[in-house]
Amino acid sequence: METDQLATIQAHPLGTHLDAVCTSFEEIVKDPVELETVSRKVIQDLSISLLPVLRNHVASRLLPSRTGQDNLSGDILKLISVIASDAFYSDRIRPLLHAVLAHRPDVEIWEQVYHAVPESTPPRKAIASILQTPWRLTTSSVVNSSEKRDQMDKLLSDELGVMYVDVPNFYEAFWGGIPQLETASEDIFQKCIQGPQPLFQQQGWTGWPGNAKEDSVLVWLTDIVERFLQWAQEYRPTITRRPLAQPDTPLEGSVARRKLDVGLVDDPKADKAGKYHWSHILVPGELKSNPNEDTASKAHLDIARYVKEVFTAQPTRRFVLAFTLCGSWMRLWEFDRLGGIASEKFDINKDGQRFVSTILGFLWMDDEALGFDPTIIKSGRQQYIEIRQDIKTERLILDKVIRPAHSIVGRATICWKAYSEGDKSKPLVIKDSWQYPERDEEGELLQQVTRQAVTNVARHYYHETVRIQAKDDDIQGNVRRGLDITRASNYRTGLARNLQTPAVEAISRNSSTGSKRSSSQISALLPPGKRSRSGSASPTKHDNEPLPNRIHRRLVLCDYGVPIYKAGSPAALLAALEGCITGHESLLKAGLLHRDISINNLMINEGNKESSLSSFLIDLDLAIKVDRVGASGAKGITGTRAFMAIGVLMGEDHTFMDDLESFFWVLFWICIHCRGPGQQGKATTEFEKWNYLNTEELARNKKGLISDERDFVRTAEANFTSYYQVLIPWVNRLRRVVFPNGRRWQEKDETLYSQMRQILRAGQDDPLVIAN
């Protein structure tokens, strides 16, 4: 190290700057030696906690870059991006982590920083891809899967990150506004402790099964709820909710056969003989006989599995309340599009009145308090929303769900086919999703491209931020009622895991977007400081650290269609793909790159005879302006990995060439999985695994598939359904232009648009394709 560098380090010591990081490290790794045996994921999480702190130190801005350009702070930022991607190699960072954990001298720590940072920038910038498309894999990214439990549980765990428990004031936030609840609960509990055979005694509830076995607890719970309801009749005489206890019977409505321990349904005759659907479950519950199973990998994950099914089956849910009962220890849960949070646990055999008020609250809550969207209004058998444009209020009738959300965390995009009241001839599409507030509003982007007359892209009709209780409907303020998760008992250890792509949050958005820089993009890199358990409970900041948030957006489109895999013939499929590629090029010329090409975002026009669009693109959630050099502002997004380009999987910059490659993968996937128009076959083991491979493995799989023409054709012949065998020559011709010489593209080439369209057009004229 040079003399001037040593002088800088001596003049600006680390001092106590790393103390908070070291404290959090020691909760995970007790001894520096353990770094040699811990998993790659642990190394990644530790690095994500440490590097922003080092980058925030004044010395990093004064020390020169390893490349001779800028300063060391810029090098650290590049390293953060690499670590946040699947291109990260843990051996590169271990010596630095060891030096910090071992409390080595400042000079040695900074030397290890220099050893860890990248030497140079690759031809295709990995940083840009991470900044533009930070990727968080969720259960919604799975396509054509049998949803085996072990695979889905891993995805669900990764999707949720850390579920924060022991959040103070949880009960008050969700139960506090229920009229007469506390008065009635106190009254009913007094009845429980009175009489010659009281229902609640010093040792707890009479009849409570000492071994807490599931069947015995279910019988006890059903009986005691009936007693509560009888006593509560003077307050609410017509409550129809009851516990549903069918732990051995799968509920209808899930891909896999999922069973539920217990749940509340709106059916006074709920019994073991009835048939129920996940759409009936108002409050799911998980029972464990062992109190020690109140852990992230046991009861917490089990209740999350049920909640995912509830969200999927109930598209109007903003959030879901739930409970776990491990032995006699009860914990209350709230799940939303940021994840799960939970109350402090309590022993129902010691705090009997709290148990009464909890159960009574679940039975009494109105639909909005249970998490249903009050802006979607029921009227008889119809549902509708009202929108206001200029001075006119318009009622839109929801016809049917055309795209449910299959995950808990994420954008959770849900689409309905709809129409304006009194006019069924012009179908509309209503799209609800939960966006990071830092992102450009999709509605504004779509309104812009509609005005520019972009072709083969769904047209804008209306957009808004949903408002509930006279406030913008967001997670932190509205759904979670301002609860402070930084006071959760596991917040410190969970923070590193839940910071998916910290580099994104550190860099401002390009000023050309016209958006303000969000504080969360700057400050989220800071490590958790020493927090007081008292004081402010701000939902947005704690010790100057922002919390992630999502906001509820609504968009109405003029164009209704069906997904491209429902094309009526092989020729129609090629024609639809051609139209969508035209739309992508038109969008690019208007200054936007789509970046989310998948089977559900390529549509075939249906129902709008006045539209000139035979097929079109939807979903600009992840679109960015092509001249943009900064980050998108998203802290984590979901993508359909089966359709991602090889370069994107390898962490490279996302360009229009990658989207064109994604069109190829969409066609390939349809030919493998569809037995006819909209007829999806069983998941194939060889390609189902694409849903679960890490990005490096998936990139290698895809490269191997396209590298040799004879092997590719042989694979197609073995795996394309009989319906699409006729397309093998045309899919192979696309492979030749998308992957010249069996290799992924090296230089951008806008003529690829016309080359692909020409092949697709020729395929439509093939007599064999037409005859099929």
Side-chain angles (χ1 to χ4, degrees):
M1 192 170 284
E2 301 293 334
T3 303
D4 56 344
Q5 292 172 287
L6 294 172
T8 297
I9 293 170
Q10 186 175 3
H12 302 282
L14 289 169
T16 60
H17 194 72
L18 299 181
D19 284 1
V21 173
C22 288
T23 300
S24 64
F25 276 20
E26 288 162 3
E27 293 176 358
I28 301 170
V29 179
K30 303 299 182 184
D31 190 291
V33 177
E34 294 178 24
L35 289 170
E36 300 305 318
T37 57
V38 296
S39 69
R40 178 179 181 275
K41 184 68 170 62
V42 170
I43 296 294
Q44 199 170 24
D45 290 344
L46 294 176
S47 304
I48 283 174
S49 296
L50 170 64
L51 291 173
V53 184
L54 288 169
R55 183 173 179 266
N56 194 46
H57 192 272
V58 63
S60 76
R61 297 190 292 274
L62 298 175
L63 291 168
S65 165
R66 184 176 181 180
T67 62
Q69 301 174 356
D70 200 18
N71 54 31
L72 186 59
S73 176
D75 290 350
I76 296 174
L77 180 60
K78 294 176 184 177
L79 180 58
I80 290 172
S81 297
V82 172
I83 286 171
S85 75
D86 282 339
F88 159 63
Y89 293 97
S90 55
D91 288 346
R92 182 180 202 160
I93 199 75
R94 272 196 177 91
L96 172 58
L97 297 176
H98 190 285
V100 171
L101 267 172
H103 302 284
R104 304 300 301 167
D106 289 6
V107 170
E108 184 174 334
I109 290 174
W110 287 114
E111 281 181 339
Q112 295 302 341
V113 172
Y114 273 111
H115 291 155
V117 297
E119 292 187 39
S120 60
T121 304
R124 288 187 67 191
K125 299 179 182 178
I127 278 184
S129 180
I130 296 302
L131 296 181
Q132 293 174 355
T133 315
W135 188 19
R136 185 177 192 172
L137 183 62
T138 72
T139 51
S140 66
S141 65
V142 173
V143 286
N144 298 96
S145 171
S146 56
E147 295 196 4
K148 293 179 180 177
R149 178 165 171 172
D150 58 339
Q151 296 167 330
M152 294 303 292
D153 279 1
K154 183 181 186 304
L155 286 182
L156 183 58
S157 178
D158 289 345
E159 171 185 318
L160 288 164
V162 171
M163 292 178 275
Y164 295 111
V165 299
D166 303 323
V167 177
N169 305 314
F170 185 100
Y171 174 88
E172 290 76 9
F174 292 101
W175 273 254
I178 303 174
Q180 296 185 294
L181 177 62
E182 296 310 314
T183 301
S185 300
E186 184 176 356
D187 180 22
I188 290 172
F189 185 65
Q190 286 302 312
K191 289 182 170 65
C192 292
I193 61 177
Q194 294 172 356
Q197 293 182 317
L199 199 58
F200 188 89
Q201 303 181 55
Q202 186 174 0
Q203 70 271 21
W205 292 101
T206 302
W208 169 260
N211 58 9
K213 294 296 184 182
E214 182 181 90
D215 289 345
S216 302
V217 171
L218 287 174
V219 171
W220 174 86
L221 183 63
T222 301
D223 290 344
I224 203 166
V225 168
E226 284 298 331
R227 297 287 293 273
F228 292 170
L229 284 168
Q230 291 171 14
W231 284 326
Q233 283 188 355
E234 62 182 280
Y235 296 95
R236 307 226 183 156
T238 57
I239 296 300
T240 57
R241 292 177 191 162
R242 294 294 188 278
L244 176 67
Q246 295 184 346
D248 299 320
T249 304
L251 293 178
E252 297 179 355
S254 56
V255 175
R257 292 170 59 82
R258 301 277 187 238
K259 302 173 184 178
L260 173 68
D261 284 356
V262 64
L264 286 182
V265 296
D266 192 9
D267 180 2
K269 298 179 180 179
D271 57 36
K272 292 186 177 182
K275 287 188 176 182
Y276 292 88
H277 191 281
W278 283 103
S279 61
H280 298 135
I281 305 302
L282 301 177
V283 178
E286 168 66 14
L287 306 179
K288 299 288 187 187
S289 59
N290 186 350
N292 294 327
E293 291 190 356
D294 179 34
T295 62
S297 62
K298 299 289 187 179
H300 303 183
L301 184 60
D302 287 342
I303 193 65
R305 192 185 304 116
Y306 303 151
V307 168
K308 174 184 176 294
E309 300 295 346
V310 172
F311 267 127
T312 301
Q314 301 178 27
T316 62
R317 288 296 277 260
R318 298 161 55 234
F319 61 90
V320 174
L321 296 178
F323 68 90
T324 51
L325 188 59
C326 299
S328 61
W329 288 93
M330 191 173 210
R331 196 185 290 278
L332 309 178
W333 290 86
E334 184 273 335
F335 288 87
D336 51 50
R337 302 313 184 175
L338 283 177
I341 61 173
S343 70
E344 296 164 313
K345 63 182 179 180
F346 66 95
D347 189 335
I348 66 171
N349 283 320
K350 293 181 179 178
D351 196 344
Q353 186 169 327
R354 172 55 57 91
F355 177 68
V356 173
S357 63
T358 296
I359 296 299
L360 210 58
F362 278 136
L363 297 170
W364 282 9
M365 287 178 182
D366 61 23
D367 285 351
E368 183 177 341
L370 280 175
F372 290 92
D373 187 342
T375 68
I376 298 177
I377 304 162
K378 293 181 180 179
S379 178
R381 303 182 72 176
Q382 279 190 338
Q383 291 182 307
Y384 65 89
I385 65 169
E386 290 183 340
I387 63 174
R388 188 172 181 83
Q389 301 201 69
D390 299 323
I391 59 172
K392 179 186 175 183
T393 298
E394 184 178 3
R395 180 173 291 185
L396 303 183
I397 309 298
L398 276 60
D399 187 359
K400 64 179 181 179
V401 175
I402 55 178
R403 180 177 177 178
H406 293 284
S407 64
I408 298 176
V409 176
R411 291 175 289 157
T413 299
I414 299 169
C415 296
W416 292 267
K417 182 183 180 183
Y419 57 89
S420 183
E421 188 175 43
D423 185 8
K424 287 188 174 182
S425 65
K426 296 180 180 178
L428 302 168
V429 173
I430 298 171
K431 172 184 176 179
D432 273 24
S433 60
W434 293 82
Q435 303 289 340
Y436 285 122
E438 295 91 344
R439 292 199 61 84
D440 291 321
E441 280 193 57
E442 182 189 10
E444 293 178 358
L445 292 177
L446 196 60
Q447 191 172 43
Q448 170 192 328
V449 301
T450 300
R451 288 171 177 166
Q452 291 178 267
V454 170
T455 186
N456 292 88
V457 174
R459 294 166 297 165
H460 174 276
Y461 186 81
Y462 172 81
H463 73 276
E464 68 175 358
T465 295
V466 176
R467 291 180 63 81
I468 293 176
Q469 298 289 347
K471 295 184 292 186
D472 286 352
D473 191 26
D474 71 328
I475 299 294
Q476 296 292 0
N478 226 23
V479 171
R480 293 184 176 178
R481 278 80 161 164
L483 289 173
D484 186 2
I485 65 167
T486 67
R487 296 172 65 196
S489 63
N490 61 337
Y491 178 73
R492 183 183 297 277
T493 56
L495 186 64
R497 181 179 175 188
N498 284 354
L499 278 177
Q500 296 294 318
T501 49
V504 174
E505 300 166 11
I507 297 182
S508 68
R509 307 178 66 194
N510 188 298
S511 59
S512 66
T513 66
S515 301
K516 294 180 181 179
R517 175 183 298 188
S518 164
S519 61
S520 66
Q521 294 168 288
I522 302 301
S523 307
L525 288 174
L526 301 176
K530 295 180 179 178
R531 297 181 179 81
S532 169
R533 289 275 170 177
S534 60
S536 170
S538 166
T540 55
K541 286 192 175 185
H542 193 286
D543 293 350
N544 297 319
E545 294 175 16
L547 297 176
N549 201 7
R550 285 187 182 271
I551 193 163
H552 190 178
R553 311 280 196 198
R554 179 165 291 155
L555 173 64
V556 184
L557 306 173
C558 294
D559 300 292
Y560 167 70
V562 296
I564 193 170
Y565 63 83
K566 295 187 178 183
S569 68
L573 173 62
L574 299 183
L577 200 64
E578 178 190 354
C580 291
I581 289 174
T582 297
H584 189 278
E585 184 177 28
S586 181
L587 195 64
L588 188 71
K589 289 178 179 177
L592 290 174
L593 179 62
H594 190 280
R595 303 190 313 147
D596 192 15
I597 301 301
S598 70
I599 54 173
N600 288 315
N601 289 339
L602 311 182
M603 310 299 289
I604 299 172
N605 182 43
E606 184 172 284
N608 192 343
K609 296 178 181 178
E610 297 179 8
S611 174
S612 61
L613 305 179
S614 59
S615 61
F616 54 89
L617 288 175
I618 62 169
D619 199 348
L620 300 187
D621 280 350
L622 306 184
I624 60 169
K625 297 181 179 180
V626 292
D627 60 347
R628 189 154 151 193
V629 296
S632 64
K635 287 176 278 293
I637 62 172
T638 52
T640 312
R641 63 192 318 168
F643 312 121
M644 284 190 168
I646 295 168
V648 173
L649 289 168
M650 296 178 70
E652 296 175 348
D653 194 8
H654 196 137
T655 76
F656 72 91
M657 296 287 287
D658 298 299
D659 276 3
L660 289 176
E661 181 184 329
S662 291
F663 280 108
F664 169 84
W665 292 119
V666 166
L667 179 59
F668 179 79
W669 192 265
I670 291 172
C671 290
I672 286 173
H673 291 92
C674 293
R675 295 180 289 108
Q679 300 177 32
Q680 297 197 41
K682 294 182 179 179
T684 59
T685 303
E686 180 178 353
F687 296 100
E688 182 183 4
K689 68 183 181 183
W690 283 15
N691 290 304
Y692 311 107
L693 294 176
N694 67 44
T695 52
E696 289 180 13
E697 289 178 295
L698 182 52
R700 284 196 298 269
N701 266 250
K702 288 188 171 185
K703 282 197 290 184
L705 179 64
I706 53 88
S707 61
D708 183 88
E709 180 164 325
R710 288 173 300 177
D711 292 344
F712 177 80
V713 170
R714 190 179 299 113
T715 299
E717 290 173 345
N719 290 281
F720 277 25
T721 62
S722 58
Y723 186 75
Y724 282 120
Q725 285 279 325
V726 69
L727 293 187
I728 291 176
W730 302 103
V731 177
N732 187 44
R733 291 188 190 186
L734 279 178
R735 182 197 63 82
R736 291 174 188 166
V737 297
V738 175
F739 305 101
N741 301 314
R743 299 166 61 90
R744 58 197 186 94
W745 65 272
Q746 300 298 314
E747 296 180 358
K748 297 177 187 177
D749 180 8
E750 292 194 20
T751 68
L752 184 56
Y753 282 105
S754 59
Q755 293 180 63
M756 293 180 73
R757 281 198 299 265
Q758 185 177 0
I759 292 170
L760 293 169
R761 202 171 298 124
Q764 297 166 54
D765 296 332
D766 181 350
L768 292 177
V769 174
I770 296 172
N772 205 50

